[in-house]
Amino acid sequence: MAYIRFEQINKKFGTNHVLKDIDLTVEKGQLVTLLGPSGCGKSTLLRCLAGLEQVTSGHIFLDGEEITEVVPRQRGIGMVFQQYSLFPNMNVRENVAYGLKLKKLPKKEIEEKVEHMLGVVGLSDKIGHYPSQLSGGQQQRVALARAMVTAPKVLLLDEPLSAIDALLRKQLQIEIRRIQQQLGITTIFVTHDQDEAMVMSDMIHLFHDGRIEQSGTPEQIYTQPATKFAATFIGNYNLPACADFNEAFGTALPYQDLAIRPEIVRLSKDLAADREGLHTAEGIVTGHISHGSLIRYEVTIGKLHLNADVVFGKHISFTEGDKVVVSVPAELIVGL
């Protein structure tokens, strides 16, 4: 039986139907990400699980018990928001100890738990500092320690990294994942960032307009988009009309649209190259732009435009106007 189970969850704010018949399960010990654009319902579902919002209809179960009507403080759930909400007049020790004091644990036990958790998040040397003396990343880890020190049944993370700069954000993604795996705590993470979801998740649920568009592992979501929206949101896919692709490549694929990852599109100046297992056509390079460690080339084949990603440093490079052979592995094309 799933550790967390949402059954037919609906949530309305007046006439605004935010969650629509959501069925979703989470296994114990997983880190599950709710991914999607702003306003799609992912944070609302998180708040319903925490008890901060009441569902309009449906049922929520945690560890075999229904908690739909249980008050928030009795659900055993820890939560970290985008705003860390640390108490400015308390130091790190006092902030992390706050929930334990509410539980009226013995002072010695509180001290031991706080010191252990600050060691886990790497802040033992900041125990006497106040929030104003900490960086954004350090404040985020204090908030994480405060949520985890009470040993919640579930940890909820609502876009906790969105206000942090890109380099630190990548470091904290890895750090949160490490801590989650070390403690084995069931975690639900909300983000609109596809790269963040890919790095951190055991499972991803892609939300769109109050519904779950697709669920799967990061690899499944990335390589096998089930809908055009999924392909649009994940992986920078080429999304040509199938008719245009068939005309350009001389194929007869039986779909309405196609999803083609730019990294599988191959470019070559060798007209005699082996083409087994590939759909090939001759095209012209019509543009390029740098994307980190990649160069993204735009190639035009008649009225079809495709993007192709090539790693920097390869011995082959192209300029606008070059005639090239465009090859696409047949087995990696996704029909929609």
Side-chain angles (χ1 to χ4, degrees), residues 179-320:
I179 293 168
Q180 183 268 333
Q181 290 180 314
Q182 178 181 335
L183 299 178
I185 187 168
T186 307
T187 302
I188 302 180
F189 188 91
V190 164
T191 185
H192 62 273
D193 187 318
Q194 58 155 307
D195 293 332
E196 196 162 78
M198 296 292 292
V199 167
M200 299 183 67
S201 311
D202 292 306
M203 289 288 294
I204 297 173
H205 299 283
L206 178 60
F207 275 62
H208 180 219
D209 192 27
R211 301 183 187 278
I212 298 176
E213 188 83 1
Q214 186 174 355
S215 298
T217 65
E219 181 180 359
Q220 289 169 338
I221 292 285
Y222 185 73
T223 62
Q224 302 167 37
T227 66
K228 192 168 185 176
F229 173 80
T232 301
F233 202 82
I234 299 286
N236 301 305
Y237 273 84
N238 294 291
L239 294 169
C242 188
D244 291 343
F245 185 90
N246 284 339
E247 181 180 342
F249 283 83
T251 52
L253 301 177
Y255 306 104
Q256 181 173 342
D257 296 293
L258 301 176
I260 302 170
R261 300 197 310 276
E263 67 268 25
I264 72 168
V265 180
R266 307 173 190 173
L267 305 182
S268 172
K269 294 179 181 178
D270 184 3
L271 300 179
D274 182 9
R275 302 187 182 189
E276 185 177 354
L278 303 172
H279 296 309
T280 61
E282 294 184 19
I284 298 174
V285 176
T286 50
H288 71 279
I289 189 171
S290 297
H291 280 266
S293 60
L294 302 171
I295 301 177
R296 177 163 295 165
Y297 291 99
E298 182 186 75
V299 185
T300 299
I301 310 164
K303 61 183 179 182
L304 178 69
H305 302 279
L306 291 178
N307 290 325
D309 285 350
V310 177
V311 177
F312 265 125
K314 280 198 170 183
H315 63 282
I316 297 177
S317 62
F318 307 94
T319 58
E320 292 182 28

Side-chain angles (χ1 to χ4, degrees), residues 38-51:
S38 297
C40 67
K42 56 190 187 297
S43 290
T44 300
L45 186 66
L46 206 71
R47 292 174 64 84
C48 289
L49 176 57

